[in-house]
C-alpha cells in the first residue's frame, strides 16, 4: 500500500499539484498565523476514509501489516511553508513553527 504523505494537507484545503519534474506545488502557501487559522481542521476518519478502508483491506490479506513511512509534522509543515520538502531553506520552516501557535484543543 502506498499513500502520499501530502494527503492530510489536501484534506485541510491546500491544493497540491505536480510539476513535470514531479515536484509538488502547494497552494496557497502558509505565511502567517492567519493562514494557519484558515486551514480546515483535519478529521482523518471523515476526510480520508479511503485511507482507512485501504488499511482494512491490507490487514485482511496480510499476515503482518506494516506502515513503512509516515510523514512527521515537521515534514508536512515544511511543505506548507516552503512548498517543498525540508532542506537547506528549512530554517524558514523552523522559524515559523517557533512563532506560530500550536493547534491544541
Amino acid at each position: 500500500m502506498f499513500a502520499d504523505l501530502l494527503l492530510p494537507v489536501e484534506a485541510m484545503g491546500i491544493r497540491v499539484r505536480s510539476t513535470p519534474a514531479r515536484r509538488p506545488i502547494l497552494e496557497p502557501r502558509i505565511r502567517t498565523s492567519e493562514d494557519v487559522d484558515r486551514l480546515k481542521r483535519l478529521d482523518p476518519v471523515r476526510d480520508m476514509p479511503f485511507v482507512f478502508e485501504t488499511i482494512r483491506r491490507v490487514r485482511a490479506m496480510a499476515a503482518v501489516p506494516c506502515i513503512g513511512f509516515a510523514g512527521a509534522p515537521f515534514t508536512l509543515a515544511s511543505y506548507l511553508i516552503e512548498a517543498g520538502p525540508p532542506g537547506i531553506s528549512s530554517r524558514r520552516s523552523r522559524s515559523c513553527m517557533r512563532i506560530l501557535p500550536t493547534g491544541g484543543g
Side-chain angles (χ1 to χ4, degrees):
M1 176 185 126
F2 172 81
D4 192 283
L5 77 118
L6 295 176
L7 287 174
V9 299
E10 287 185 301
M12 295 168 68
I14 299 294
R15 189 172 61 243
V16 179
R17 60 187 174 84
S18 187
T19 65
R22 298 173 91 57
R23 180 186 167 123
I25 303 293
L26 284 71
E27 298 170 324
R29 283 181 164 178
I30 301 300
R31 295 289 187 230
T32 66
S33 59
E34 290 80 16
D35 294 338
V36 172
D37 292 340
R38 280 191 287 276
L39 290 172
K40 179 181 166 193
R41 188 170 182 97
L42 180 67
D43 178 343
V45 174
R46 180 194 68 217
D47 299 328
M48 301 185 309
F50 52 90
V51 172
F52 293 93
E53 177 59 26
T54 302
I55 291 170
R56 276 191 288 280
R57 289 180 184 198
V58 169
R59 287 185 68 194
M61 297 180 337
V64 180
C66 177
I67 297 176
F69 174 80
F74 179 78
T75 303
L76 295 175
S78 293
Y79 271 95
L80 289 167
I81 296 165
E82 310 276 346
I88 294 171
S89 63
S90 66
R91 189 174 335 138
R92 186 179 335 141
S93 297
R94 287 192 299 274
S95 175
C96 287
M97 284 188 275
R98 280 195 297 270
I99 294 168
L100 297 175
T102 59

